[in-house]
């Protein structure tokens, strides 16, 4: 091998070495995202004994408005439990969860509604959870979202009707009487 070929071989080896160093250096400096567990959704997750809470979110129109808690609760124990969710200003909701089963709060016919969300939409509200079979409880933060995202709009709690907005029986009877056709209005048909 002549002097020119040795020089080219040395430069090629050096370039290959620098290339390999730069490729492996990224993994050395930056942590691998796959080695860290995180909630890959809009909500948060936590554990409480045999209960696993996943994708927990509060859907509300405002900080002082009612908020519906959505997410999933998994019960890995061999007994039925009741999960209690405590929010701001003493608001709370209870969720029954069967043994070795799960409950989806999104599909529940009895939604978990807190009387106040406890935080503005776009921020985090602190909630405390407990389970009726133990004295354990856990506090964690849950995102509060509003109906801006179309998929969450259906979960906004509807306000309870007030006494002034409900019609009395006499008002209902009057409105049905006016809707009934009279014989004189149908005679031409």
């Amino acid at each position: 091998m002549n002097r020119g070929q040795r020089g080219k071989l040395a430069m090629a080896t050096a370039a290959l070495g620098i290339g390999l160093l730069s490729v492996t250096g990224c993994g050395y400096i930056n942590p691998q995202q796959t080695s860290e567990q995180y909630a890959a959704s809009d909500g948060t997750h936590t554990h409480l004994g045999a209960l696993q809470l996943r994708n927990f979110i509060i859907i509300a129109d405002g900080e002082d408005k009612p908020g519906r808690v959505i997410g999933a609760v998994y019960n890995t124990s061999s007994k039925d439990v009741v999960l209690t969710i405590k929010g701001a200003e003493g608001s709370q909701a209870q969720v029954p969860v069967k043994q070795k089963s799960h409950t989806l709060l999104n599909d529940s016919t009895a939604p978990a509604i807190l009387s106040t969300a406890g935080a503005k939409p776009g921020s985090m509200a602190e909630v405390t959870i407990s389970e009726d079979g133990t004295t354990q409880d856990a506090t964690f933060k849950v995102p509060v979202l509003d109906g801006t995202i179309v998929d969450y709009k259906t979960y906004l709690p509807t306000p309870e009707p007030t006494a002034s907005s409900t019609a009395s029986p006499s008002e209902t009877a009057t409105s049905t009487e006016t809707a009934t056709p009279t014989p004189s209005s149908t005679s031409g048909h």
Side-chain angles (χ1 to χ4, degrees):
M1 197 183 265
N2 68 25
R3 189 173 179 196
Q5 289 175 331
R6 278 186 277 171
K8 287 181 184 179
L9 182 61
M11 286 186 2
T13 305
L16 181 62
I18 291 171
L20 287 174
L21 229 124
S22 66
V23 171
T24 59
C26 291
Y28 178 73
I29 296 169
N30 297 321
Q32 292 178 342
Q33 188 61 43
T34 55
S35 65
E36 296 178 32
Q37 288 190 356
Y38 64 98
S41 62
D42 292 336
T44 56
H45 69 271
T46 194
H47 298 273
L48 179 66
L51 295 180
Q52 300 173 6
L53 285 67
R54 298 288 182 262
N55 199 24
F56 259 53
I57 303 171
I58 298 174
I59 308 295
D61 271 333
E63 182 174 5
D64 297 325
K65 303 280 183 163
R68 180 174 178 179
V69 180
I70 62 172
V73 182
Y74 295 88
N75 181 1
T76 60
S77 74
S78 56
K79 63 177 188 146
D80 296 350
V81 298
V82 176
L83 171 72
T84 301
I85 306 165
K86 296 176 185 173
E89 299 178 22
S91 64
Q92 75 176 28
Q94 293 189 319
V95 179
V97 187
K98 298 280 184 196
Q99 63 181 343
K100 303 227 182 263
S101 181
H102 69 278
T103 298
L104 298 176
L105 300 179
N106 313 16
D107 301 334
S108 177
T109 53
I113 301 201
L114 299 172
S115 59
T116 180
K120 295 177 187 175
S123 60
M124 304 287 273
E126 191 170 88
V127 297
T128 301
I129 55 169
S130 59
E131 166 279 280
D132 64 342
T134 65
T135 58
Q136 296 179 336
D137 64 354
T139 300
F140 71 112
K141 293 191 182 246
V142 177
V144 178
L145 301 174
D146 60 10
T148 304
I149 298 174
V150 178
D151 293 340
Y152 295 136
K153 191 173 209 112
T154 58
Y155 297 116
L156 282 171
T158 54
E160 297 284 327
T162 60
S164 61
S165 67
T166 56
S168 68
S170 62
E171 291 172 332
T172 307
T174 309
S175 62
T176 11
E177 290 171 12
T178 56
T180 310
T182 58
S184 61
S185 66
T186 57
S187 60
H189 298 280

